[in-house]
Amino acid sequence: MILLVLAFFTGLDLSFVSVETPPENVNILALWGFALLELVKITAFVYGLYVLRKLIRSFFGNKLFTRFQIASLNLSGRLICLSMFLEAISEFLKKIIIENRIGLFFGMEFSFSSFWIILAFGIFLVFLSKVFENARTLQKENELTV
């Protein structure tokens, strides 16, 4: 998206990108709000993946159940869940703003990029952070008794 804005201001040829103009009766402020919601959604998802990447790198340090790992699991899970909730809101608002109709779809897609699969992955990461937290307390108690 940033690349498109830079290309617009520098005058680069963007003939390979198809941009549809919004319908005439759409509120421009609503479109900007929708674009901002999409930007927040993408930012939350990408930052959640970045935190997950840092977490995986911390596992190579041969230390488990650190505060960093617990916090990273919790944060990345919450960010991925937030991103999926914003995705649902975004789809709902897109139908209202652009298509001028209201509709809800609770169907199940059978792919790894499905809303429900990614949401379950985020909830699993939050749950795993709680398991790591309990394991940390058990590890500390075990070190004290030995």
Side-chain angles (χ1 to χ4, degrees), residues 5 9 17 34 43 56 90 96 103 112 143:
V5 171
F9 286 119
V17 177
F34 180 70
T43 303
I56 291 171
S90 170
I96 289 176
F112 287 114
E143 288 173 359

Side-chain angles (χ1 to χ4, degrees), residues 42-89:
I42 291 170
T43 303
F45 189 76
V46 168
Y47 187 65
L49 291 179
Y50 173 73
V51 170
L52 197 60
R53 178 180 166 260
K54 284 176 47 176
L55 169 71
I56 291 171
R57 286 185 179 227
S58 77
F59 285 138
F60 294 125
N62 294 330
K63 287 194 123 191
L64 287 178
F65 314 125
T66 63
R67 289 181 193 260
F68 173 75
Q69 292 169 349
I70 295 168
S72 295
L73 279 169
N74 196 3
L75 179 63
S76 62
R78 288 177 187 259
L79 285 173
I80 289 172
C81 287
L82 173 70
S83 173
M84 287 299 102
F85 286 129
L86 291 178
E87 171 74 23
I89 293 169

Side-chain angles (χ1 to χ4, degrees), residues 14 26-28 74 86 89-90 100 110 128-129 134 136 146:
L14 294 176
V26 174
N27 186 358
I28 298 299
N74 196 3
L86 291 178
I89 293 169
S90 170
N100 290 330
F110 296 107
L128 195 58
S129 75
N134 290 341
R136 178 180 170 82
V146 171

